[in-house]
Amino acid sequence: MSCNCMTLMVLTAVVALTGCDTAVQTDYSKLGLVEVSGKITFDGKPLSDATVMFEAPDETYSYGKTDESGHYTMMFNTEKTGVTPGKKIVRVVTGSVGDIGAGEGDEEEEQSAPAQQVAVPKCYNQKSKIEVDVKTSATFNFDLKTDCSTTGPS
């Protein structure tokens, strides 16, 4: 056998034996993620099936989904819980995340909406003024009001 063929066979064997790991291993340790959870109510009742977003000034965000009791846990992405430290605008959306601001439609839309879906006013999503400063692991509870009087965590 020629030298080139032998080299090719050896390289092929080495690649076959070592295999290849195509899984991306993300190192979250440098992000300083902070565990955040809480409860959201609307006019004193648990707000279920809502998406909570903690949005940074650069428009990156962590998110959580409320359960039937209004509890949520923030996720950095689909694999990792947590929020990067710093000041965040809190947005609460019912329906899909693409529906930011859908809480203030015309009366006809509101009447045709399913009874169990609460429409959160724009003052808590698209025009939210609620801010939190995430420093350490924390619980942030919010009692949102129809009159938009909630301006921070309780």
Side-chain angles (χ1 to χ4, degrees):
M1 258 196 225
S2 73
C3 188
N4 286 341
C5 284
M6 185 61 125
T7 303
L8 183 60
M9 286 180 12
V10 170
L11 285 175
T12 302
V14 168
V15 169
L17 292 173
T18 59
C20 39
D21 184 9
T22 59
V24 176
Q25 300 296 321
T26 305
D27 181 9
Y28 295 105
S29 65
K30 295 180 182 178
L31 296 174
L33 295 175
V34 175
E35 298 295 317
V36 173
S37 61
K39 182 176 181 177
I40 298 182
T41 56
F42 188 71
D43 290 333
K45 297 178 184 167
L47 183 61
S48 64
D49 200 32
T51 301
V52 184
M53 295 181 289
F54 281 28
E55 184 179 313
D58 66 1
E59 296 183 357
T60 59
Y61 63 90
S62 290
Y63 64 92
K65 191 80 167 170
T66 60
D67 63 16
E68 61 279 346
S69 302
H71 288 101
Y72 68 91
T73 298
M74 298 304 290
M75 300 292 296
F76 177 72
N77 60 25
T78 58
E79 298 175 353
K80 184 71 175 157
T81 60
V83 176
T84 56
K87 293 186 180 201
K88 311 289 183 206
I89 294 175
V90 179
R91 301 186 191 282
V92 180
V93 181
T94 50
S96 68
V97 174
D99 292 340
I100 290 181
E104 289 183 357
D106 59 30
E107 286 183 39
E108 195 172 307
E109 287 179 14
E110 289 178 16
Q111 290 174 357
S112 66
Q116 71 273 16
Q117 186 68 39
V118 174
V120 176
K122 286 183 184 178
C123 61
Y124 296 124
N125 46 63
Q126 186 178 27
K127 298 180 178 181
S128 181
K129 301 287 186 221
I130 300 176
E131 293 186 7
V132 294
D133 192 0
V134 178
K135 295 179 182 179
T136 60
S137 295
T139 300
F140 293 110
N141 297 319
F142 302 94
D143 184 20
L144 309 181
K145 304 286 185 191
T146 304
D147 66 4
C148 296
S149 61
T150 303
T151 58
S154 55

